[in-house]
Amino acid sequence: MFQQTINNYLKKHGFGTFAPKVVLFDMDGVLYNSMPHHVVAWQKAMQSFGIDMTEKDVYATEGMKGIDTIRMLVRAQQNREISEKEAQAMYDEKGRLFHEMPQTPIFEGVLTIMRKMKQCGMRIGVVTGSAQKPLINRVAKDFQDFVLPEHIVTAYSIRHGKPAPDPYLKGLELTGGFQPWEGIVVENAPMGVRAGVAAQIFTVAINSGPLPNQLLLEEGADLIYPDMMTFAQHWDELIQAATH
């Protein structure tokens, strides 16, 4: 199964080899079961500015820089352009509401698979569209045995956020100057999967939200799993296929 998947990836991007050395994780909905809280915070914050944002909207735009999402919504619903400063003020309100809620748990399976990756000699990075520093600081603390702070890409690291390939290309650069065929992206959102595929990196989708699998596959995900623990259970087989 995995050999055919790898062959399809190589053919799709015109590469001769797949030799993973680094894994780049998205944060929300991948490392943390945080999306339900983000949905509430986004909806409440945007409502206060006269913007209607559905649960589907939140999941569909997840991974994008927050201010980009807001400017897009304002353009679509209010037919006007807002400055980055105004969008940032709206995003700050969303962040305030999110941090009023209880801390979200790490998904089951995340630490298990990171241990396996470390045992394989893999480097691990985190690539998030978040600009909320408390969340970023929490990643550095929670995963300090696996992720160096300088291997975390945030909204502050790049100009063009997901779905552009820039965040994942930056992740390859920061974790050791790797080539796309030397990486694996782990995502849960359509915009993030699109970014990983655009960066020509082997992209694994963890469908931890309400969107249909087909949506993630249409964005180009090479593999899809229902949760991180299932991916962890298949990790050894994937790496064995990649190294043979």
Side-chain angles (χ1 to χ4, degrees):
M1 168 190 153
F2 290 113
Q3 198 58 64
Q4 186 59 52
T5 301
I6 290 167
N7 290 342
N8 291 343
Y9 161 76
L10 295 174
K11 185 178 179 181
K12 179 166 64 175
H13 297 293
F15 295 149
T17 187
F18 174 52
K21 297 179 176 67
V22 60
V23 182
L24 302 173
F25 287 89
D26 177 43
M27 181 177 71
D28 289 304
V30 172
L31 300 181
Y32 299 108
N33 188 11
S34 50
M35 284 308 297
H37 285 187
H38 280 294
V39 169
V40 173
W42 269 115
Q43 289 183 319
K44 284 186 176 179
M46 292 305 99
Q47 190 175 34
S48 69
F49 294 104
I51 298 290
D52 179 46
M53 193 172 194
T54 65
E55 179 187 41
K56 186 178 178 182
D57 290 335
V58 177
Y59 279 93
T61 58
E62 185 204 342
M64 293 175 62
K65 292 168 73 173
I67 59 171
D68 290 346
T69 297
I70 290 167
R71 294 176 86 173
M72 182 180 71
L73 288 169
V74 170
R75 191 179 302 120
Q77 294 188 26
Q78 299 182 350
N79 197 29
R80 64 189 183 97
E81 295 291 336
I82 60 171
S83 67
E84 191 169 316
K85 184 178 179 182
E86 186 178 348
Q88 184 64 54
M90 295 166 71
Y91 184 59
D92 289 346
E93 174 62 10
K94 181 262 171 180
R96 184 188 69 78
L97 291 167
F98 179 83
H99 291 294
E100 283 184 347
M101 288 184 273
Q103 193 173 68
T104 55
I106 297 170
F107 271 118
E108 183 182 12
V110 170
L111 295 175
T112 302
I113 200 167
M114 282 190 175
R115 287 188 199 100
K116 288 188 173 196
M117 291 166 176
K118 192 173 181 181
Q119 287 166 2
C120 291
M122 298 267 182
R123 291 192 184 175
I124 300 174
V126 174
V127 178
T128 174
S130 178
Q132 296 178 33
K133 291 183 178 178
L135 290 179
I136 296 159
N137 292 338
R138 186 186 171 197
V139 169
K141 178 175 176 289
D142 285 349
F143 304 104
Q144 58 186 328
D145 292 341
F146 307 101
V147 182
L148 296 174
E150 56 266 32
H151 292 171
I152 301 174
V153 177
T154 72
Y156 301 108
S157 311
I158 39 90
R159 183 175 178 187
H160 301 292
K162 303 172 189 178
D166 305 38
Y168 282 111
L169 294 174
K170 189 70 172 180
L172 292 176
E173 176 191 327
L174 292 182
T175 51
F178 295 107
Q179 296 297 320
W181 59 85
E182 296 177 306
I184 295 173
V185 162
V186 186
E187 264 287 353
N188 71 306
M191 295 295 101
V193 169
R194 191 186 300 179
V197 173
Q200 298 186 298
I201 305 170
F202 189 92
T203 301
V204 179
I206 309 294
N207 193 0
S208 60
L211 300 178
N213 283 349
Q214 189 59 31
L215 195 56
L216 298 169
L217 292 170
E218 286 171 359
E219 293 292 356
D222 296 288
L223 288 171
I224 188 161
Y225 292 102
D227 51 57
M228 191 67 75
M229 188 55 85
T230 307
F231 181 31
Q233 290 165 354
H234 288 87
W235 172 257
D236 294 337
E237 293 174 65
L238 174 62
I239 295 307
Q240 189 173 16
T243 53
H244 284 76

